[in-house]
Amino acid sequence: TVGAVALDVEGVICVATSTGGMTNKLTGRIGDTPVVGAGFWAEEWTEEGDPTSPHKNGSRNPLYSPGPAVVLSDALKRLIADCLPSPFLYTPTLQDSSGGLTTTRSIGVSGTGNGDSFFRVSAARTVGAIARYSSLPSVVALTKVAGPSGELQKSADDRWGKAGEGEGGIIGLELVVVRDASGNVVETRSDILQDYNCGGMFRAWIDEEGVAYARIFRKD
Amino acid sequence: QVQPRLIIHGGAGNITPASLGPERYVAYRSSLLTIVSKAHTYLTTPTQSNYNSPSSSSKLPSALEAATYAVTLLEDNPLFNSGHGAVFTRDGINELEASVMVSRGQAKRGVGVTGLRHVRNPILLAKKVLEHGKDDLLGRGKKLDNNTGDGEPDVPSAQGHTLIHGPTAEKLARQYGLEMVDPSYFFTQKRWDEHVRALEREKREQQDLLGAGTASGVSATWSKDEYLPQG
């Protein structure tokens, strides 16, 4: 399977995926690639405040009105810190709702791997649902599904490591647009998402400075 | 305005440095870098066609155009399991699938096509079905009167359907003017050898297991010793 996730200048995210399917599949077997929510997903939603705002070392982002900081549990902090390249601490701030910020989040993800396992957990939709309904950064949501010991791997039960059950990876993009009470954009953030639970994933991306990266393993 | 971004993948699974080897590692890596750079340049360069028409200002491609362009480059590359270089079913044929979905708009946003055997770039069919279907869904459908000359009535259009299979999908591809190819276009010796080798291994191991009187848990779709694309 191959896939691409693009974010355009208008803030729209599109996911495109194409495949020959599984080697030696039954003729007539349909995989996850053409099935919405299994092998691909894209959506946009709005939420109060900016719960996934990144804070470095706990310092408060000047964008936020002072409010009681909801400190994340250490485990969740460790999970987020493990997933992110640099030691970010997420300290969502309860937003003073009168005249607060609103955030529009968009996400697009493309999956590859054992399609029958992606069906079983509606893998692509689950990434969006965890990000949206737990107000977690999409990078964390994606790892919870496609990362080591994530939902995909768990779906294989004792068949993990046999016949490819549960194996796979997902790539994606997230866009966060924060607006003040007057609707002015005060911040936009975009994030490259990627994780897998198997030997490797062929992938490449361009970072915000325009530098191209290609990876197959974790640290190649 | 938002800074355009792009990420691509070419498959995941039981890929190991040992089974890949240095030559193929370099081949995959350079293909990925070439494709992501080409697609990113496309995404961040105003489309030429707009320059010619004085009325419209030059416009950057949409995420739909950029993502599907990137996937056509991957489909055309025999290293990856899609388009030219796709894997084979147990019966030794190629059955291709593709999908697109956009994050904005509450009308139809996602489309899948499956069971394709003659469409050179399946992702372009998914894109067309999304574009046409949305028009039809919103009542702005373009009448498709370009008869394909096969003596059968045209498929009215993709309607608002989300997942379209086999012959109907391929008929739409012809009506949309997409490039159609003979199934042999998708053949590569490497994928054929994987197909045959995995079936033979399955047969051998099943005979061993039957000889030992235990149930067969062998599959021709996956190997612990080599990377067989899973889709």
Side-chain angles (χ1 to χ4, degrees):
Chain A
T1 305
V2 300
V5 186
L7 163 66
D8 66 23
V9 70
E10 311 288 339
V12 178
I13 292 180
C14 176
V15 50
T17 314
S18 180
T19 187
M22 184 186 276
T23 304
N24 287 322
K25 63 185 178 182
L26 286 180
T27 299
R29 176 265 193 182
I30 292 175
D32 62 310
T33 291
V35 177
V36 181
F40 68 102
W41 182 255
E43 72 175 306
E44 181 179 278
W45 70 92
T46 300
E47 47 195 36
E48 285 302 304
D50 180 12
T52 63
S53 166
H55 281 249
K56 274 206 172 191
N57 312 323
S59 65
R60 192 170 300 287
N61 181 324
L63 286 177
Y64 284 80
S65 56
V70 175
V71 181
L72 291 175
S73 71
D74 284 341
L76 192 49
K77 268 188 197 166
R78 238 190 339 271
L79 172 75
I80 291 173
D82 288 348
C83 304
L84 293 172
S86 61
F88 272 83
L89 286 182
Y90 281 87
T91 317
T93 307
L94 283 182
Q95 188 54 49
D96 156 21
S97 55
S98 61
L101 301 171
T102 56
T103 301
T104 302
R105 293 176 67 192
S106 312
I107 183 177
V109 294
S110 171
T112 172
N114 181 281
D116 302 311
S117 307
F118 275 74
F119 270 125
R120 209 173 289 137
V121 299
S122 286
R125 203 286 164 272
T126 301
V127 174
I130 292 174
R132 180 169 186 172
Y133 300 109
S134 312
S135 284
L136 276 175
S138 299
V139 67
V140 175
L142 189 142
T143 290
K144 277 173 166 290
V145 175
S149 312
E151 293 305 312
L152 266 174
Q153 182 170 338
K154 281 190 263 183
S155 78
D157 292 333
D158 60 348
R159 297 180 310 283
W160 174 252
K162 297 171 191 147
E165 287 261 356
E167 275 187 10
I170 297 180
I171 63 165
L173 277 173
E174 176 181 46
L175 173 70
V176 177
V177 180
V178 187
R179 289 181 174 82
D180 64 18
S182 318
N184 305 310
V185 174
V186 293
E187 186 187 359
T188 63
R189 304 187 295 269
S190 64
D191 229 345
I192 295 269
L193 317 172
Q194 51 175 303
D195 209 340
Y196 58 93
N197 60 25
C198 44
M201 173 162 73
F202 301 115
R203 63 207 188 276
W205 68 96
I206 305 268
D207 74 3
E208 285 172 313
E209 280 68 51
V211 177
Y213 295 82
R215 292 281 185 279
I216 299 175
F217 304 108
R218 283 221 182 268
K219 294 197 179 343
D220 53 329
Chain B
Q1 293 213 321
V2 172
Q3 182 186 2
R5 304 292 301 271
L6 177 78
I7 183 170
I8 65 173
H9 75 73
N14 183 28
I15 307 166
T16 62
S19 64
L20 198 59
E23 292 79 23
R24 288 205 303 140
Y25 178 87
V26 169
Y28 273 102
R29 187 175 155 75
S30 62
S31 291
L32 287 166
L33 284 172
T34 304
I35 290 170
V36 80
S37 304
K38 268 187 180 175
H40 187 262
T41 302
Y42 175 82
L43 174 62
T44 52
T45 308
T47 39
Q48 285 311 312
S49 57
N50 286 312
Y51 281 139
N52 307 329
S53 51
S55 57
S56 69
S57 64
S58 68
K59 195 164 119 6
L60 289 173
S62 69
L64 176 63
E65 288 161 337
T68 50
Y69 171 67
V71 170
T72 57
L73 299 178
L74 288 156
E75 286 174 334
D76 293 348
N77 187 310
L79 282 177
F80 302 105
N81 169 26
S82 68
H84 177 55
V87 300
F88 291 91
T89 72
R90 291 185 76 85
D91 304 315
I93 65 170
N94 300 109
E95 282 191 330
L96 310 181
E97 311 179 311
S99 59
V100 288
M101 189 167 192
V102 294
S103 60
R104 187 163 292 174
Q106 299 311 321
K108 173 162 129 175
R109 298 196 332 256
V111 164
V113 287
T114 182
L116 306 178
R117 304 204 54 215
H118 302 86
V119 181
R120 176 193 164 125
N121 291 105
I123 199 65
L124 296 181
L125 175 56
K127 175 173 182 277
K128 285 284 187 184
V129 171
L130 180 67
E131 288 168 334
H132 284 273
K134 191 163 55 177
D135 286 347
D136 296 325
L137 192 70
L138 303 178
R140 297 193 304 265
K142 301 178 190 64
K143 183 83 192 71
L144 282 165
D145 51 7
N146 53 337
N147 197 315
T148 49
D150 58 5
E152 288 177 31
D154 280 357
V155 174
S157 85
Q159 313 286 327
H161 299 328
T162 297
L163 182 50
I164 305 183
H165 173 269
T168 303
E170 298 214 320
K171 197 168 190 35
L172 280 170
R174 281 189 195 89
Q175 286 174 205
Y176 293 148
L178 295 180
E179 186 174 352
M180 309 300 282
V181 292
D182 180 85
S184 59
Y185 164 79
F186 303 111
F187 178 91
T188 57
Q189 194 60 46
K190 174 179 182 296
R191 293 291 185 228
W192 183 259
D193 295 345
E194 285 171 358
H195 156 65
V196 172
R197 196 166 52 237
L199 284 178
E200 286 172 350
R201 189 191 62 248
E202 180 187 72
K203 197 187 306 177
R204 227 182 13 257
E205 291 179 0
Q206 275 180 342
Q207 281 156 1
D208 297 349
L209 288 168
L210 288 178
T214 52
S216 89
V218 181
S219 150
T221 62
W222 182 80
S223 163
K224 61 185 182 313
D225 306 317
E226 64 173 316
Y227 167 53
L228 290 181
Q230 296 294 299

